[in-house]
Amino acid sequence: MGVSKNTLQQQIDKAKKGDQTAFKFLLDTYWSSVYYYQLKKVNNDEDAEDIAIETFSKAFDKINTFNNQYQFNTWLIAISKNVYIDFLRKKKSSISVDITKNEEKEVYHIIDDGPSPEDKIITKQNLAKLLRDIKKLKPKYQEVIILRYFQELSYKEISSQINEPINNVKVKLLRAKKLLAAIIKKEV
């Protein structure tokens, strides 16, 4: 560094008082040493830059804890080592997959047929309203609607469960649907 010890000390003192030009001076003076230190470790320009930025951010937040008995550069590198360790932890905890640009573009062309969270809420609300409307029917109509559309039983299965002929089940179901439609229309 081509900076005298006296000038450096003045800039650190100004930075401790919140002087933005002093922060800029320290950043400009020590950026290269922190950045290249990290570049050797991570071997990736973007990661080295991110770690260096984080290092200076933490250093400027904690500038008042800097002890003048030590070298400022050594203090920065110590912070940078800790930021690097945090970086490794984050990287280890997240799954990273290297993909090509074409693969990345393909991801955006996949159609999501699943319901959105809003669709799910609307469905739940509609289902709750439908159930309230079904409860307005006579019990014999409620039963066939629930067996057919919620339990998804066949006419034959419903027939044996309620102990009535299949034709009666069909007629009851038809009548239940008409009554339910009338209730729903009335509320709209």
Side-chain angles (χ1 to χ4, degrees):
M1 304 281 141
V3 180
S4 73
K5 195 169 187 164
N6 192 28
T7 303
L8 179 61
Q9 189 56 55
Q10 288 174 347
Q11 294 299 321
I12 292 170
D13 290 341
K14 285 181 181 178
K16 284 182 177 183
K17 293 176 185 167
D19 186 323
Q20 293 302 311
T21 56
F23 284 132
K24 184 180 181 331
F25 172 83
L26 294 170
L27 179 71
D28 292 343
T29 304
Y30 292 102
W31 174 264
S32 294
S33 65
V34 173
Y35 171 76
Y36 287 112
Y37 171 77
Q38 286 301 332
L39 188 59
K40 287 177 189 170
K41 287 183 157 302
V42 296
N43 205 20
N44 177 309
D45 290 335
E46 289 177 12
D47 290 342
E49 190 172 294
D50 289 347
I51 293 170
I53 289 169
E54 181 84 15
T55 298
F56 280 97
S57 173
K58 287 185 185 260
F60 291 156
D61 283 346
K62 305 286 185 188
I63 191 88
N64 288 323
T65 65
F66 173 68
N67 186 338
N68 294 334
Q69 294 177 346
Y70 301 102
Q71 294 287 321
F72 190 73
N73 191 44
T74 306
W75 184 69
L76 278 174
I77 295 299
I79 292 171
S80 191
K81 284 179 183 178
N82 290 332
V83 172
Y84 173 70
I85 290 168
D86 290 344
F87 167 80
L88 290 178
R89 284 185 189 135
K90 285 178 191 170
K91 197 169 185 177
K92 195 181 267 187
S93 70
S94 69
I95 299 171
S96 97
V97 178
D98 293 330
I99 59 171
T100 65
K101 291 284 182 192
N102 288 337
E103 289 172 329
E104 188 176 345
K105 287 178 185 173
E106 285 180 32
V107 168
Y108 292 106
H109 294 300
I110 296 172
I111 297 172
D112 182 8
D113 290 335
S116 70
E118 294 84 1
D119 292 338
K120 289 178 182 176
I121 290 171
I122 290 168
T123 302
K124 278 185 180 178
Q125 290 172 340
N126 288 341
L127 183 59
K129 184 188 176 317
L130 180 62
L131 288 171
R132 282 193 304 273
D133 290 343
I134 290 172
K135 286 185 179 181
K136 293 176 184 174
L137 296 172
K138 291 183 179 176
K140 63 182 181 181
Y141 295 127
Q142 287 179 30
E143 183 179 32
V144 290
I145 291 273
I146 289 169
L147 291 172
R148 179 70 177 152
Y149 296 106
F150 290 88
Q151 294 181 14
E152 300 180 348
L153 298 181
S154 68
Y155 292 118
K156 188 176 182 182
E157 292 169 325
I158 296 171
S159 170
S160 66
Q161 187 154 341
I162 64 171
N163 209 16
E164 285 191 31
I166 290 179
N167 286 338
N168 284 10
V169 170
K170 289 180 181 178
V171 171
K172 246 186 208 175
L173 199 52
L174 183 62
R175 180 78 180 127
K177 288 192 314 191
K178 283 184 180 180
L179 291 170
L180 185 58
I183 291 169
I184 292 170
K185 268 186 187 175
K186 198 184 294 181
E187 292 181 1
V188 175

